[in-house]
Amino acid sequence: MNETSAMSDISSDLYEPMRDQLAKVNLESALAAIWSYSRYLESGQELPPELRSPDPFLREKLHMGQLAELAREAVMHCASVGGAPFAFNVFARALDSMRDITDRLSAAPLDANPDSIFHFLDVILQQQFPLQVKMDIPQILRYRSIFGGEAISEMMRAKLGVTYDECYFFLFALMGSLTRTPRLVSTQSYEEFNISAQRTASLFSWLSAPVEALACEMKSQHVLDANWGSRWNPLGSKPFVQHDPDNPDRMYCPVPALLWHKIGQGLAFDLYACPGFDNAFGAAFEEHVSTFAEYHLSSDKFTVAREKAFTYKRNLLDGADLMVSDASGTIVVECKTKRMNLSARQFAPGDAKKGELIKLAKAVVQLYKNIAHVQAGHTQWTVQSSRFFPVVATLEDWLLFSPTTCAKLDAFVIEELVREKMSPDVLEQSPYTIASCDELERLLLVVNESSVGSVLEGKTKLENRHTMLKGYLHQFHQKQLSATYPSAFSEKFDIFNRHLIETRFPAAYQNTAK
């Protein structure tokens, strides 16, 4: 059977029956039901009787990515007027259909290349993991630190009409409301928080779209192929659905987890076209990482040094973004805001992921060049230990868990080292680590409880070299991690919120004080 025939069978056997079933269901009821399942999955909130499953383990089998997919299908196909209420039997049949479609579609690339099982698992992880990560205090403080500075806040004011702090407080208020109800009204006043009606309208315009516009965009992207489940979902950009054309102020947020992403990396997508954003974003990330290290590694046993430009062969070089040193070792950090692009996170030709891994390999080799300059005495840095541990810190997690992916990255690093006329032996002398910012923060907190060498010597052993850093820390340094994370952030969070309310939202502060 050829590929076109197989796709036609999947459409007629699986997709079209699901589409026809959803077409008989009322859209408003569907959006409210998906919200109920979202709350059930996030916090265990009890489901209404008509949505309950006879399966007591439904919560363990469900993930937020499936709900986002179901919301997409509901927006495209459910009836805006009329239609039956959304009940559990509709949910169960739609979920089974989506799983069957995904299984059948992903079988084709696996049949073509049985060795691609790790790639298949990689794609599934890339689909599911981002929405499973809840917005916690460390993330909120991290994004506020990065986006809340003057340069990016000015870009936000120009594009959205609000500063980051106003945006943060507004999203926080919305998330509070969405724990109780799936439906909001954009004409609700937020004047008590010092957010004018004009700014409120601007923010809702940023977060919402009419169902017709969303459905049109979704249908234009709809293709039944291996990437059916991992295509960009427009609800990620506009998580609120204006479901009633006659009352555009009324809207539903079926998957609130999508809204949280607008406070962080989602905001970067909205601002990337602003002149100067890339430089401001990179500088803000470096500033956050350096400030975090200085704050938490303040004892005399650590030397924390920021980027320091130096001259080598008449060229002005920036050097590493951060160096943390004690008597047992030196961490050398290169910060990268870039996220793995969408095509590299899908079933796609090898060049898509290859290009992303090559960019990461270049960042690794830049670290080795920086270390070589330190060792040769070209820089202004003084380190306590010549045992170096290079770390590329990415703002978002690249999820490099697959042995195949890690092996490819190693190969690209070696190619780049040879191109730069450097010995590949540095990979054994100073094995590198790829870490998300969240992982780097955890690492620094654990290092503060022990030492650089006692933590990273184990991580860079052959058997742990490609283990994700968060998993390694939980397995081998759980005691130190539990003692510092997330308690290290609690005081900062309280100070941030109190300062925000007192200085930016005086009306709300006065009401709270009463």
Side-chain angles (χ1 to χ4, degrees):
M1 182 183 296
N2 62 41
E3 185 176 349
T4 301
S5 176
M7 296 306 174
S8 178
D9 287 348
I10 292 171
S11 180
S12 60
D13 295 347
L14 298 173
Y15 187 80
E16 290 174 15
M18 179 184 70
R19 178 199 64 193
D20 294 343
Q21 179 202 26
L22 290 174
K24 299 174 184 177
V25 175
N26 178 263
L27 174 63
E28 187 173 0
S29 174
L31 296 175
I34 295 169
W35 171 84
S36 293
Y37 285 114
S38 295
R39 293 295 303 144
Y40 168 71
L41 191 55
E42 280 189 321
S43 62
Q45 182 171 300
E46 187 175 4
L47 291 165
E50 69 275 11
L51 298 179
R52 290 176 192 163
S53 168
D55 184 353
F57 301 106
L58 174 65
R59 194 176 175 206
E60 286 72 29
K61 299 175 182 177
L62 195 60
H63 62 81
M64 201 64 72
Q66 292 171 310
L67 296 181
E69 286 178 32
L70 180 57
R72 178 191 66 193
E73 297 302 315
V75 167
M76 281 198 290
H77 304 306
C78 285
S80 294
V81 178
F86 191 101
F88 174 72
N89 68 309
V90 176
F91 176 74
R93 288 173 61 189
L95 211 61
D96 286 343
S97 295
M98 291 193 303
R99 286 170 178 154
D100 289 342
I101 292 169
T102 298
D103 289 345
R104 292 265 294 272
L105 290 170
S106 59
L110 284 176
D111 289 344
N113 181 10
D115 295 332
S116 64
I117 184 64
F118 281 116
H119 181 51
F120 170 73
L121 295 174
D122 202 8
V123 170
I124 296 300
L125 184 66
Q126 295 285 352
Q127 290 175 17
Q128 296 182 8
F129 183 80
L131 284 181
Q132 291 177 341
V133 177
K134 295 182 180 180
M135 187 66 72
D136 55 12
I137 290 174
Q139 281 195 76
I140 290 171
L141 287 174
R142 181 182 314 130
Y143 288 130
R144 198 275 169 177
S145 169
I146 293 169
F147 289 105
E150 184 176 346
I152 295 180
S153 235
E154 280 301 316
M155 295 177 192
M156 287 190 62
R157 187 181 285 111
K159 188 172 180 72
L160 303 177
V162 295
T163 65
Y164 183 81
D165 284 350
E166 290 168 330
C167 173
Y168 157 82
F169 203 88
F170 184 75
L171 289 177
F172 210 82
L174 295 185
M175 289 302 296
S177 297
L178 289 170
T179 62
R180 303 183 299 274
T181 175
R183 190 174 82 171
L184 295 179
V185 180
S186 62
T187 52
Q188 178 178 336
S189 174
Y190 292 86
E191 295 281 357
E192 65 176 317
F193 301 121
N194 205 27
I195 302 178
S196 67
Q198 182 180 5
R199 287 174 174 166
T200 297
S202 175
L203 284 163
F204 271 118
S205 176
W206 171 51
L207 297 170
S208 66
V211 64
E212 299 92 339
L214 286 168
C216 183
E217 185 176 357
M218 291 168 179
K219 289 175 181 177
S220 71
Q221 298 179 9
H222 174 72
V223 179
L224 281 177
D225 63 12
N227 293 317
W228 175 78
S230 59
R231 274 194 168 73
W232 167 246
N233 188 341
L235 290 174
S237 178
K238 302 286 186 181
F240 281 97
V241 181
Q242 298 168 10
H243 66 286
D244 184 353
D246 295 327
N247 297 280
D249 59 318
R250 300 175 187 174
M251 56 190 70
Y252 277 85
C253 185
V255 186
L258 292 170
L259 180 62
W260 262 135
H261 285 257
K262 298 292 286 184
I263 203 171
Q265 189 68 22
L267 190 57
F269 290 119
D270 292 314
L271 298 176
Y272 79 95
C274 295
F277 175 72
D278 276 350
N279 289 338
F281 191 27
F285 181 35
E286 291 176 24
E287 175 66 25
H288 166 75
V289 169
S290 296
T291 301
F292 185 95
E294 290 168 345
Y295 182 87
H296 291 287
L297 302 173
S298 57
S299 70
D300 292 339
K301 76 173 185 176
F302 293 106
T303 301
V304 180
R306 293 175 176 242
E307 177 182 278
K308 295 178 182 178
F310 61 94
T311 301
Y312 175 66
K313 293 183 177 179
R314 299 184 180 180
N315 294 315
L316 185 64
L317 304 178
D318 291 330
D321 295 328
L322 175 72
M323 297 186 74
V324 173
S325 185
D326 67 8
S328 66
T330 299
I331 304 173
V332 188
V333 181
E334 181 76 14
C335 297
K336 294 296 177 185
T337 56
K338 191 183 185 314
R339 183 187 186 192
M340 186 186 292
N341 66 32
L342 183 60
S343 61
R345 291 182 275 123
Q346 296 178 327
F347 287 106
D351 286 349
K353 193 162 193 175
K354 177 181 177 181
E356 297 297 280
L357 293 178
I358 287 174
K359 292 173 186 175
L360 201 58
K362 289 180 181 294
V364 172
V365 173
Q366 182 60 49
L367 276 172
Y368 286 125
K369 291 168 71 175
N370 288 330
I371 290 170
H373 285 303
V374 174
Q375 291 172 323
H378 299 147
T379 72
Q380 301 180 45
W381 285 301
T382 300
V383 296
Q384 298 185 48
S385 170
S386 59
R387 179 70 173 105
F388 290 97
F389 299 96
V391 177
V392 175
T394 59
L395 178 55
E396 300 295 320
D397 202 328
W398 278 49
L399 302 176
L400 302 175
F401 87 105
S402 161
T404 303
T405 299
C406 293
K408 288 179 179 178
L409 178 58
D410 279 346
F412 293 140
V413 170
I414 291 172
E415 287 180 11
E416 191 64 24
L417 285 168
V418 171
R419 188 176 294 112
E420 293 289 339
K421 296 181 172 55
M422 299 181 69
S423 171
D425 291 347
V426 295
L427 287 174
E428 295 302 320
Q429 297 162 2
S430 301
Y432 68 89
T433 298
I434 308 296
S436 67
C437 187
D438 177 70
E439 291 177 312
L440 179 64
E441 290 172 1
R442 293 169 191 253
L443 170 66
L444 295 177
L445 291 172
V446 170
V447 162
N448 188 51
E449 293 290 307
S450 47
S451 68
V452 171
S454 64
V455 179
L456 285 172
E457 284 287 358
K459 174 63 182 73
T460 54
K461 286 181 179 178
L462 186 60
E463 62 268 25
N464 297 321
R465 192 170 298 177
H466 293 308
T467 301
M468 292 181 69
L469 181 57
K470 187 184 296 185
Y472 168 79
L473 293 174
H474 277 281
Q475 183 176 356
F476 295 101
H477 298 277
Q478 182 61 51
K479 183 178 179 180
Q480 298 97 318
L481 195 60
S482 298
T484 59
Y485 191 97
S487 59
F489 301 89
S490 299
E491 182 181 352
K492 277 186 167 184
F493 188 70
D494 291 341
I495 293 171
F496 166 47
N497 276 319
R498 187 163 57 249
H499 171 76
L500 179 61
I501 294 174
E502 289 178 10
T503 59
R504 301 296 182 103
F505 308 103
Y509 175 67
Q510 291 169 8
N511 291 339
T512 305
K514 292 176 184 178

